[in-house]
Amino acid sequence: MNGFAVAGLDEDAFGEKKGLQGLKTFDAFPKTKPSYTTRHARGGQWTIALMVVSFFLTISELLRWLDRYETHQFSVEKGIGHELQINLDIVVAMACGDLHVNVQDSSGDRILAGDMLRHDDTNWDQWVKGMHELGWGDRDAMYDDEVEHLAEIFGGRESKWSATPKLRNVANACRIFGDLKLNKVQGDFHITARGHGYMEIGQHLDHQAFNFSHIIPNLSFGPHYHSLHNPLSDTIASTADHFYRYQYYLSLVPTIYTVSSSNNHKAIKTNQYAVTSQSHAVPENTIPGIFFKFDIEPILLTVVAHRSGFLGLLVRIVNVISGVMVAGGWCYQMVGFGGELWGKKKKGGLSEGMLNGRAHAGDGGEDD
């Protein structure tokens, strides 16, 4: 019996006020009285499992929000640039006094880059560690995670050149490094041996002293950021031939890196480049050396690292948790329904009791 009736109480008196009864039509969340519901251990297991799934998916959404995501947009470069900065850091397996560095652009300007760059005597073995040949090594994987090093760029300033390591053994190489300011046009710069290349006054270097094996810790165009990696950075090329010509063809793409969020916006303008190499031994009537030829593409690449607002993160987390709970509820009901069907199938040969007044055929009957 109803406990309210026994006590002489009206159950409806404890419900909603009559003035709000009309709102029941719009109720999207129908309720079930607690007396009509039961709790099972299996339901508790499903609930714990759904909570665990929701927790890991929430952590996944949070990590995605922290990592940012990037977009790339190409457009025609509309601005007019007059100056191009080259950042060069190269180690050549020859004495500094035996090397000449020259730059020439398509406008005809020739720059004696050797007078603008710094030359330090060093030892080859002190630079080999951590280097790789062009097109090989773990450095190729860096482009899959460009956003990560964008954060490093915007977290610091333009880099200064590191000091040359203290010489430990006999100097058998030369480090050439520094910045060059050039016209923003197609050009090339090359490193050749003393007395070879441009017409020069002075004694020619003995051919047996030629060794254009080299290590490139950094070669970039634009503002110098050490954490902004480039295809030729940390590469090594070596040869036993005295007459060997290394040729690198570079295609520069002006690039704007931008980190954008709901309340912050930073950008730097620099250059990326792609490189191909055609290096080979040459006869003695050809000038050996290291040659870089660069061309500037008329397009602009804008790389933007985005991070959505905190409100958007909350909306996604709510959607994830709601979806898991709803889908989990459906699965729970389907499993329960399937269990009931399986149970009825197994009990199909048993008596149906007195509900329909029929006894099971196996029970037998009285003989007349």
Side-chain angles (χ1 to χ4, degrees):
M1 297 180 61
N2 192 331
F4 284 90
V6 173
L9 300 176
D10 184 7
E11 184 178 359
D12 295 335
F14 294 89
E16 297 180 359
K17 297 180 179 180
K18 294 183 177 180
L20 301 178
Q21 294 294 323
L23 295 179
K24 289 184 177 181
T25 306
F26 304 98
D27 187 4
F29 308 98
K31 314 300 186 295
T32 303
K33 292 183 179 181
S35 58
Y36 298 157
T37 61
T38 57
R39 298 180 182 273
H40 299 280
R42 187 178 64 182
Q45 294 171 356
W46 273 84
T47 303
I48 294 175
L50 294 179
M51 291 176 64
V52 171
V53 172
S54 299
F55 173 77
F56 282 107
L57 291 179
T58 300
I59 295 298
S60 175
E61 285 293 333
L62 181 60
L63 293 178
R64 287 180 56 191
W65 180 74
L66 292 175
D67 284 344
R68 302 177 184 267
Y69 66 95
E70 69 175 42
T71 59
H72 296 73
Q73 180 179 358
F74 288 93
S75 61
V76 177
E77 188 179 22
K78 299 179 181 179
I80 300 177
H82 301 281
E83 190 176 77
L84 177 66
Q85 176 178 322
I86 300 179
N87 311 301
L88 175 65
D89 188 359
I90 186 171
V91 178
V92 184
M94 291 176 63
C96 290
D98 295 337
L99 294 172
H100 281 179
V101 184
N102 294 281
V103 179
Q104 185 171 7
D105 58 40
S106 59
S107 64
D109 289 349
R110 177 190 171 193
I111 300 174
L112 298 177
D115 299 333
M116 304 173 62
L117 299 173
R118 182 174 173 179
H119 297 65
D120 287 350
D121 292 324
T122 187
N123 184 272
W124 176 266
D125 295 333
Q126 293 180 247
W127 296 88
V128 175
K129 185 177 180 180
M131 301 297 167
H132 64 273
E133 295 183 1
L134 180 63
W136 297 87
D138 295 335
R139 182 58 65 91
D140 296 335
M142 75 183 68
Y143 303 101
D144 297 332
D145 197 9
E146 193 169 29
V147 176
E148 181 177 347
H149 77 260
L150 281 182
E152 297 177 4
I153 296 172
F154 289 102
R157 301 176 180 177
E158 289 190 41
S159 303
K160 296 182 179 179
W161 296 107
S162 60
T164 302
K166 186 177 180 180
L167 190 62
R168 297 177 182 175
N169 299 313
V170 178
N172 58 3
C174 179
R175 181 193 183 194
I176 305 172
F177 64 101
D179 303 329
L180 294 173
K181 304 291 185 180
L182 309 177
N183 297 322
K184 193 176 180 180
V185 294
Q186 178 184 358
D188 63 88
F189 62 94
H190 47 264
I191 301 174
T192 56
R194 172 171 50 87
H196 296 74
Y198 288 108
M199 295 297 297
E200 300 174 74
I201 300 176
Q203 185 178 4
H204 283 206
L205 182 65
D206 183 6
H207 294 173
Q208 297 301 315
F210 289 178
N211 187 354
F212 290 100
S213 300
H214 58 277
I215 296 172
I216 306 177
N218 180 67
L219 176 60
S220 59
F221 297 81
H224 179 211
Y225 291 91
H226 180 70
S227 56
L228 183 58
H229 305 297
N230 294 279
L232 283 175
S233 296
D234 295 339
T235 58
I236 183 173
S238 58
T239 179
D241 296 326
H242 297 296
F243 275 81
Y244 203 88
R245 187 183 184 98
Y246 290 97
Q247 294 180 309
Y248 298 101
Y249 298 90
L250 288 69
S251 296
L252 275 63
V253 178
T255 305
I256 297 178
Y257 291 104
T258 303
V259 172
S260 178
S261 61
S262 58
N263 57 356
N264 194 14
H265 186 86
K266 296 181 180 179
I268 61 170
K269 187 173 183 179
T270 182
N271 299 275
Q272 291 188 101
Y273 63 85
V275 59
T276 57
S277 174
Q278 294 182 357
S279 303
H280 51 84
V282 294
E284 293 191 6
N285 60 351
T286 305
I287 300 174
I290 307 170
F291 298 81
F292 299 88
K293 184 178 181 62
F294 58 90
D295 194 6
I296 303 173
E297 302 295 337
I299 59 176
L300 175 66
L301 171 62
T302 303
V303 181
V304 182
H306 299 272
R307 175 182 291 168
S308 61
F310 187 72
L311 180 60
L313 173 65
L314 292 179
V315 171
R316 288 197 299 273
I317 291 177
V318 170
N319 289 338
V320 167
I321 296 176
S322 302
V324 169
M325 291 302 178
V326 171
W330 289 347
C331 292
Y332 178 75
Q333 293 179 8
M334 292 175 64
V335 170
F337 180 70
E340 292 179 1
L341 291 179
W342 179 255
K344 291 180 179 180
K345 183 178 180 180
K346 292 181 64 176
K347 297 178 181 179
L350 298 181
S351 172
E352 298 181 6
M354 299 302 296
L355 293 178
N356 53 16
R358 298 196 307 269
H360 191 267
D363 294 343
E366 296 182 358
D367 297 334
D368 292 338

